[in-house]
Amino acid sequence: MATLRALLTTMHIPFNAAQLAAAFVAMTSNFFLNNALTFRDRRLVGIAALKGLLTFYLVCSVGTLANVGVAELVYLRDPSWWRAGIAGALMAAVFNYAVSSMLTWRKS
């Protein structure tokens, strides 16, 4: 949400592009938080972490498209950036967690 706000208010990027960039920042930080905390028993290191990050991006891209689409629909009806941003993020959160836990941090 901080990235979204910063992009909208300081760089004056259109909402849809700002939401996409903020989602990318969120995916990246979520990968590293999940790797360190949520899936610490299956922590990825070295080249496996890079492969995991790329897998995470691929898996989350579907959730990200849903995120941006839902956020844009909400924003068109109610131009409140934070409501639209939260709606999009919630849309993607459940999907991304479920799929990434099965694919990115699967037990070998």
Side-chain angles (χ1 to χ4, degrees), residues 28-93:
T28 304
S29 62
N30 285 342
F31 172 80
F32 288 107
L33 286 170
N34 281 332
N35 198 47
L37 303 172
T38 307
F39 300 104
R40 66 182 169 268
D41 62 321
R42 296 178 258 168
R43 185 172 293 144
L44 303 172
V45 295
I47 195 74
L50 179 59
K51 287 180 182 177
L53 178 60
L54 295 176
T55 301
F56 192 73
Y57 285 152
L58 183 63
V59 167
C60 291
S61 65
V62 175
T64 298
L65 291 174
N67 173 339
V68 173
V70 166
E72 181 70 11
L73 287 173
V74 171
Y75 190 74
L76 289 172
R77 293 176 191 263
D78 174 17
S80 171
W81 67 268
W82 63 271
R83 283 188 193 126
I86 288 172
L90 289 174
M91 176 67 196

Side-chain angles (χ1 to χ4, degrees), residues 1 6 25 32 36 43 69 99:
M1 294 302 291
V25 169
F32 288 107
R43 185 172 293 144
V99 175

